[in-house]
């Protein structure tokens, strides 16, 4: 069974940057879709960004568009989320996930990691 492990979270001042990583164990099919979701305290998990594993077709939530970038290193089976110009409202636990459908719905993803916490202070 595939396992995903996120890393790179931490505390940062507003306006700062962080780069999250998600390492996937096992084979990732070229048709797979990799995504990032986040969950703030007391809120539902929400979509952040996704991309096709074979490359391209990036999609972002309106709230992070222009500030966050999703990318991947196929040789390392790793997906990244570069987060720039961070805001307090970006504070959340960030999860990566793997699915087979090009979708922003969490229900379409069947593998997810344990998350990494991002805290943005004013």
């Amino acid at each position: 069974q595939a396992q995903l492990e996120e890393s790179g979270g931490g505390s940062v001042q507003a306006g700062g940057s962080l780069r999250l990583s998600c390492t996937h164990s096992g084979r990732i099919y070229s048709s797979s879709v990799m995504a990032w979701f986040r969950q703030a305290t007391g809120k539902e998990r929400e979509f952040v960004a996704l991309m096709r594993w074979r490359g391209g077709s990036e999609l972002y939530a309106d709230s992070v568009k222009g500030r966050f970038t999703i990318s991947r290193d196929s040789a390392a089976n790793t997906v990244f989320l570069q987060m720039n110009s961070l805001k307090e409202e970006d504070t959340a636990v960030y999860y990566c996930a793997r699915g087979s459908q090009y979708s922003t719905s969490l229900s379409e993803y069947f593998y997810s990691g344990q998350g990494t916490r991002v805290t943005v202070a004013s």
Side-chain angles (χ1 to χ4, degrees), residues 20-122:
L20 306 184
S21 300
C22 170
T23 302
H24 182 288
S25 66
R27 179 182 177 183
I28 304 177
Y29 295 98
S30 60
S31 59
S32 294
V33 177
M34 302 298 294
W36 287 94
F37 291 83
R38 67 185 181 186
Q39 187 167 17
T41 301
K43 295 187 177 181
E44 293 187 353
R45 199 167 297 189
E46 64 175 5
F47 166 75
V48 176
L50 66 79
M51 69 178 298
R52 296 190 184 277
W53 182 248
R54 62 173 176 259
S57 300
E58 294 88 359
L59 184 66
Y60 299 92
D62 287 343
S63 59
V64 306
K65 200 173 297 182
R67 300 188 297 122
F68 290 12
T69 302
I70 187 172
S71 62
R72 59 106 169 86
D73 180 343
S74 56
N77 268 16
T78 300
V79 178
F80 303 102
L81 186 67
Q82 178 67 44
M83 306 186 297
N84 299 328
S85 302
L86 282 162
K87 305 175 180 179
E88 284 186 80
E89 52 263 44
D90 295 318
T91 295
V93 178
Y94 285 71
Y95 301 86
C96 68
R98 184 191 124 197
S100 59
Q101 299 299 316
Y102 191 80
S103 173
T104 61
S105 174
L106 182 62
S107 63
E108 296 290 350
Y109 292 84
F110 36 79
Y111 293 114
S112 181
Q114 295 300 306
T116 185
R117 181 172 296 277
V118 172
T119 302
V120 184
S122 60

